[in-house]
Amino acid sequence: MPVVRITDVAGEPFRGGATYQTIVGDQEGSTPIRIGIQTSPPGYRTPLHSHPYMETITVMAGEGEAWLEGSDEIVALQSGTTLVLPEHTRHWFRATGNNPLVTLGVHASPHRIVIVHDE
């Protein structure tokens, strides 16, 4: 099995200043899942979006908050928190602390597909 060292993976810049490192997966979709690490600077917020497959997001470092479709409350994010998002569940998250919010995302798909929604 291949070994991936996170320090060897280049970050892909996102609008707003976040970066995303694809740890497992490639453009060809040669793996059944995609795993990535997103590093979001303080104040960064994702757009309201969903995915046509299940996704999990685990907070590795930092603080933030998230909104998930079907809930009226904002979820506090801290190290060790995992969100389990069924397919087509609209959501957003943001970094609220003074340090970057670092999240590990697992996409149950060979391709990372993001559907952005109007707010």
Side-chain angles (χ1 to χ4, degrees):
M1 171 174 255
V3 174
V4 178
R5 301 198 192 287
I6 294 169
T7 55
D8 295 338
V9 178
E12 171 190 348
F14 280 3
R15 187 171 15 159
T19 58
Y20 189 85
Q21 295 171 281
T22 300
I23 306 303
V24 174
D26 54 33
Q27 297 290 41
E28 292 75 35
S30 65
T31 61
I33 61 172
R34 288 184 71 82
I35 300 174
I37 295 176
Q38 182 169 327
T39 302
S40 304
Y44 175 85
R45 180 179 175 242
T46 69
L48 178 62
H49 68 283
S50 64
H51 309 279
Y53 47 77
M54 186 177 116
E55 176 191 26
T56 62
I57 300 170
T58 299
V59 178
M60 306 301 291
E63 298 175 348
E65 58 187 18
W67 176 82
L68 316 173
E69 184 174 33
S71 176
D72 290 333
E73 64 183 78
I74 300 296
V75 177
L77 301 177
Q78 59 190 18
S79 183
T81 302
T82 297
L83 304 174
V84 180
L85 303 163
E87 63 185 27
H88 301 293
T89 299
R90 294 182 306 158
H91 60 283
W92 57 257
F93 64 87
R94 67 178 165 194
T96 59
N98 294 322
N99 296 308
L101 176 65
V102 181
T103 54
L104 175 71
V106 178
H107 296 249
S109 171
H111 299 281
R112 185 172 175 274
I113 302 167
V114 179
I115 302 163
V116 176
H117 303 275
D118 291 332
E119 305 233 8

